[in-house]
Structure formats: C-alpha cells, structure tokens
Amino acid sequence: NSSENSAYTKDFGFNTTFIFQGLFQSQQAPFAIMYKRYKSDSKALRLGVDVTYFANNNKVDPDVANVNFSDNSNGYIDLTIGVEQQRNLGGKWIWYYGGDLVPKYSFGKTINYINNEKDRTSKSSGYGLGAKPFIGIRYNIAPRLYLSAEASAQLTYLIQKAFQETHSPEETLQDLTTNSLTFDINAASG
C-alpha cells in the first residue's frame, strides 16, 4: 500500500459491472460487495458476496383462453473468503494478487402453463466450493477512493439437484443429482 493509504485498515467496495450492464439494458447482472481488512500495509483479508436474482413472469389476463406462458426465477449466492497481497508500482498504481475460497449456492424454479393450467414444474438447487486465484491492478484516486480491475481463474466442484414433475396427471419425470467440476477464466472487471 502507498503511504497515503497506510492509516486505513478497512476497505468496503462494490463491483460496478451491474451499473455498466444496466446502461446496455442487460436483463441481469450480479451485485458484488467486498470488505477488506488490512493486516499490514501490503496484506489484506477479503470477505465478499456476489448475488444474482432473475425473475420473469409472463402471466396474462386469466380470461384469455388457450394461453401458454411460464414463470421463471433463479439466482445464486457466492461468498468470497481470501487473502490479498499488494505491491506498489509507483505513484498511485498498485498491483495485487492472492486467492479466495468461494462457497456457492444456486436455485431455480420454472412453472409452465398450457391453456392457463399449470402443466409442469421444474426446480433446481446446487451447492459447491470454488478455489479462485486472482490478480488485479488498482489506481488510487484519493486516499479513501480507488478503482480496480481484477482477473481470476476458478476451479469449482458443484453438486446439483434437479426435480421435474407434471401436474395433470401428477407424475415425477426427473429427480437427478449430478456432480461437476468446472474451470472458468474471468477477464479483468471491477
């Protein structure tokens, strides 16, 4: 950390991606917040959360006959727990790196209607754990304000459960549990 920031022991920030995606009329964007507590001038503990929720209700006037539509909702919650090391590049520029553990939870539900009658319901949920090394750069605008961009890779193990049923007649079509291991690379954002 530069000497102008050494008196501060905590950071609280948010990811601005949801603002920029809103400008381009994206229908969903994550909201992420991050809290950092400095253990020294160059080392911080990180705690954060990413939350996304999306709902789409296509219901129409119930008096209209023979209409097909669906109700959808899904989302996820990712926690972030990690350590960050920082190195001053000179002036107001700092680069940083480290690693996070990322516990995850996701959920989803879709109800399909045919001729205004509930036809099929699909539900899903998942939980898992990710390991995420990261590297970033930041620019200190003022002693208590900075902008940063962070790139990362993430290896994640997930357990997902899916359940699907019809309503007339009442029948379970699918009841699955799957395990997966994924690897993602995330371009710099912040």
Side-chain angles (χ1 to χ4, degrees):
N1 246 358
S2 67
S3 61
E4 65 186 33
N5 288 339
S6 62
Y8 304 115
T9 60
K10 299 173 187 144
D11 281 349
F12 182 76
F14 62 94
N15 187 328
T16 58
T17 303
F18 74 99
I19 295 170
F20 294 114
Q21 285 182 339
L23 293 174
F24 299 106
Q25 299 179 5
S26 172
Q27 293 192 3
Q28 83 180 29
F31 179 68
I33 57 174
M34 178 72 68
Y35 169 78
K36 297 179 188 177
R37 179 159 178 81
Y38 289 89
K39 294 300 184 183
S40 70
D41 283 349
S42 63
K43 184 177 182 179
L45 300 177
R46 298 161 44 112
L47 180 61
V49 64
D50 290 346
V51 177
T52 293
Y53 180 73
F54 176 78
N56 185 16
N57 182 326
N58 296 317
K59 286 188 179 178
V60 295
D61 185 346
D63 295 329
V64 177
N66 301 323
V67 176
N68 301 338
F69 59 93
S70 63
D71 289 330
N72 301 300
S73 62
N74 59 61
Y76 72 82
I77 300 169
D78 290 354
L79 298 177
T80 302
I81 305 161
V83 176
E84 177 180 304
Q85 291 285 331
Q86 299 178 354
R87 301 287 181 246
N88 193 328
L89 293 173
K92 296 183 176 210
W93 290 96
I94 293 174
W95 76 280
Y96 62 94
Y97 59 92
D100 295 326
L101 284 178
V102 185
K104 299 173 158 290
Y105 174 72
S106 64
F107 56 91
K109 183 177 182 179
T110 300
I111 303 173
N112 294 315
Y113 295 83
I114 295 178
N115 298 327
N116 294 335
E117 297 291 328
K118 191 184 286 188
D119 177 61
R120 185 175 299 201
T121 299
S122 302
K123 297 178 185 177
S124 65
S125 64
Y127 52 93
L129 183 64
K132 181 175 78 171
F134 60 84
I135 187 166
I137 190 162
R138 83 181 216 193
Y139 179 76
N140 294 327
I141 296 169
R144 297 197 67 132
L145 179 65
Y146 64 83
L147 295 173
S148 65
E150 183 175 297
S152 64
Q154 186 166 319
L155 183 64
T156 304
Y157 176 72
L158 291 171
I159 299 171
Q160 296 173 308
K161 297 182 180 191
F163 179 77
Q164 189 177 88
E165 65 181 339
T166 59
H167 296 283
S168 182
E170 199 73 32
E171 179 184 6
T172 299
L173 299 175
Q174 177 183 17
D175 192 358
L176 297 175
T177 299
T178 59
N179 298 309
S180 62
L181 186 63
T182 60
F183 180 75
D184 298 304
I185 296 176
N186 303 304
S189 66

